[in-house]
Amino acid sequence: MDNSISLNKFISDTGYCSRREADKLITSGRVFLNDRPAVLGNRYKPGDTVEVDGSLITAAKKEKRVYLALNKPPGITTTTELHIKDNIISFVGYPKRIFPIGRLDKDSEGLIFLTNDGDIINKILRAGNNHEKEYIVRVNKPIDHAFVQQMSQGVPILDTRTLPCKVQMMGRQTFRITLTQGLNRQIRRMCEYLGYAVVGLQRVRIMNIRLDKLALGKWRYLSDAEVSMLMESVADSTKTESKSAARRKKAAAQTPPHSNSGFTPKDKAPANKHNATKPAAKKGKPQTGKPAEKSWKSENAVSRSTQDRQGKNARPNKNMGKEKKNHEGRKEKRSGAEGSFKNYRSKGRR
């Protein structure tokens, strides 16, 4: 029986960091497996040695999982990198190794989870699992119903379109929004697209956990009831998204919505004998049938108009060849006795 597990899961299970952070450590060459540089896809077996930045990582003992709820103040960065000023780990100062679930912008405030349970992180973060996050947002100028409608229908940002969401007006410049996805600075970018600037943003709920009266900058343990509800909410969640589902989601985001009115755009209308248009004739090539007859008539009309300008007794163009052919014969007759003008007059008298 294979007792191995993925290396990033082993590192996460020790409480050192999340799986995502472990992947970053591996790709940056900071992890060694059995004295060799680790790569993505490596698996850990009992008895293997794992080092991160030169420190030996050992399998964590089965200990009680920690789940914290923090009301993050503005100015705190959501990162586990301890060398970054005002990082969230140093701010909380918890005695055991914990890491945040998801992110909250440095300029934003509100609810964020921290835990040493690596298995639950991806389940909560997966946008495809429709886990709700609720925010209260204040902008720099009054909003209206058109703004609420546009925000709720989705806004194009970051080469995609945000998913439909719930938006509720709370005041002249304040609204409540519930998202099921977490794009980078999503709410701020959505407001900027519509010509607004965010002056205050607070997250007040993640799934079934609410901020309530937790003071700014303080944290508390989640109750057993909250943890149970949290586990129940993610029980059917997938840790990863299948490739086919990702392709379907990408195609849906790129495909413009179709109207249900039954109207078919002209460029999409089926080509048949009733609505198909005849292709235009190529320039320089004569057409056959009726179009050719029309062109012939137009040419004759031009010819007739030319003759009218030259006079009614003008000879047709078809006689020009005959005159040219007999030109020399007529010339000889004029020069001879029979062809002379006097003989012609005399013959006429007879």
Side-chain angles (χ1 to χ4, degrees):
M1 182 178 178
D2 186 10
N3 294 326
S4 66
I5 60 174
S6 61
L7 182 58
N8 61 353
K9 185 179 187 308
F10 168 77
I11 297 174
S12 175
D13 288 345
T14 65
Y16 189 87
C17 63
S18 66
R19 290 194 191 183
R20 186 175 300 178
E21 293 293 333
D23 286 338
K24 293 180 181 179
L25 294 175
I26 293 172
T27 55
S28 61
R30 297 166 59 182
V31 180
F32 280 76
L33 177 62
N34 296 328
D35 298 326
R36 293 183 178 181
V39 296
L40 294 177
N42 281 159
R43 300 186 67 80
Y44 170 85
K45 300 186 297 295
D48 289 345
T49 59
V50 179
E51 297 179 28
V52 179
D53 293 335
S55 300
L56 188 65
I57 304 298
T58 58
K61 297 180 180 179
K62 293 295 183 180
E63 59 183 356
K64 185 177 180 180
R65 295 301 188 185
V66 175
Y67 304 95
L68 307 181
L70 167 69
N71 188 353
K72 186 189 87 67
I76 300 301
T77 303
T78 308
T79 180
T80 57
E81 300 291 340
L82 300 180
H83 64 276
I84 295 179
K85 184 181 178 180
D86 297 327
N87 67 84
I88 193 170
I89 301 300
S90 300
F91 177 79
V92 174
Y94 195 76
K96 294 183 179 181
R97 181 71 175 179
I98 57 175
F99 37 91
I101 301 179
R103 297 182 60 86
L104 195 57
D105 293 341
K106 183 177 181 178
D107 298 331
S108 304
E109 63 180 83
L111 181 62
I112 188 169
F113 296 151
L114 297 102
T115 183
N116 60 355
D117 185 357
D119 289 335
I120 199 175
I121 294 181
N122 286 338
K123 289 185 175 183
I124 293 179
L125 295 183
R126 283 247 54 87
N129 295 324
N130 298 321
H131 300 318
E132 293 185 345
K133 291 166 287 185
E134 185 177 328
Y135 303 81
I136 294 178
V137 187
R138 181 175 176 81
V139 291
N140 61 334
K141 56 184 179 181
I143 60 177
D144 52 19
H145 292 288
F147 170 86
V148 172
Q149 184 177 10
Q150 287 179 295
M151 290 284 286
S152 62
Q153 291 178 347
V155 174
I157 61 172
L158 299 174
D159 297 327
T160 185
R161 190 176 189 88
T162 59
L163 297 177
C165 58
K166 302 175 184 177
V167 182
Q168 177 185 1
M169 187 183 301
M170 299 182 64
R172 290 184 69 248
Q173 298 176 230
T174 308
F175 65 93
R176 184 187 301 269
I177 182 170
T178 304
L179 303 178
T180 56
Q181 63 182 150
L183 301 178
N184 183 26
R185 299 175 67 86
Q186 178 172 343
I187 296 177
R188 297 180 186 274
R189 293 179 188 272
M190 293 172 70
C191 292
E192 288 174 4
Y193 180 84
L194 299 177
Y196 292 77
V198 173
V199 296
L201 192 152
Q202 181 188 40
R203 185 158 63 191
V204 296
R205 177 174 66 89
I206 301 176
M207 300 168 67
N208 62 293
I209 313 298
R210 293 188 174 275
L211 188 63
D212 289 336
K213 297 181 179 180
L214 184 62
L216 187 65
K218 300 297 182 180
W219 60 268
R220 65 175 179 85
Y221 290 104
L222 296 184
S223 66
D224 292 340
E226 288 175 327
V227 173
S228 298
M229 292 179 64
L230 186 65
M231 294 299 180
E232 183 178 352
S233 299
V234 301
D236 297 329
S237 299
T238 56
K239 296 180 182 179
T240 58
E241 189 173 28
S242 65
K243 293 182 179 180
S244 59
R247 285 195 297 267
R248 288 195 299 269
K249 184 183 297 183
K250 183 177 180 180
Q254 294 178 349
T255 303
H258 294 287
S259 172
N260 293 328
S261 61
F263 173 74
T264 304
K266 291 183 179 180
D267 57 347
K268 298 296 183 182
N272 54 45
K273 62 181 180 180
H274 298 293
N275 59 11
T277 58
K278 295 183 180 180
K282 294 185 178 179
K283 188 175 181 181
K285 291 186 177 181
Q287 295 182 352
T288 59
K290 293 184 179 180
E293 183 180 354
K294 290 182 180 178
S295 62
W296 176 81
K297 290 181 179 180
S298 61
E299 290 177 1
N300 285 347
V302 173
S303 178
R304 286 196 299 271
S305 63
T306 303
Q307 293 176 9
D308 292 339
R309 287 196 300 270
Q310 294 175 353
K312 293 184 178 180
N313 297 326
R315 290 183 177 181
N317 292 337
K318 63 181 180 178
N319 293 330
M320 292 182 65
K322 185 176 180 180
E323 288 180 356
K324 185 176 180 181
K325 183 177 180 182
N326 298 328
H327 176 67
E328 295 180 357
R330 289 197 302 270
K331 187 176 180 181
E332 292 177 355
K333 289 181 181 180
R334 292 192 195 101
S335 60
E338 283 186 25
S340 65
F341 178 73
K342 292 180 180 181
N343 290 336
Y344 176 77
R345 292 290 301 271
S346 63
K347 289 180 181 180
R349 292 194 191 99
R350 294 180 193 160

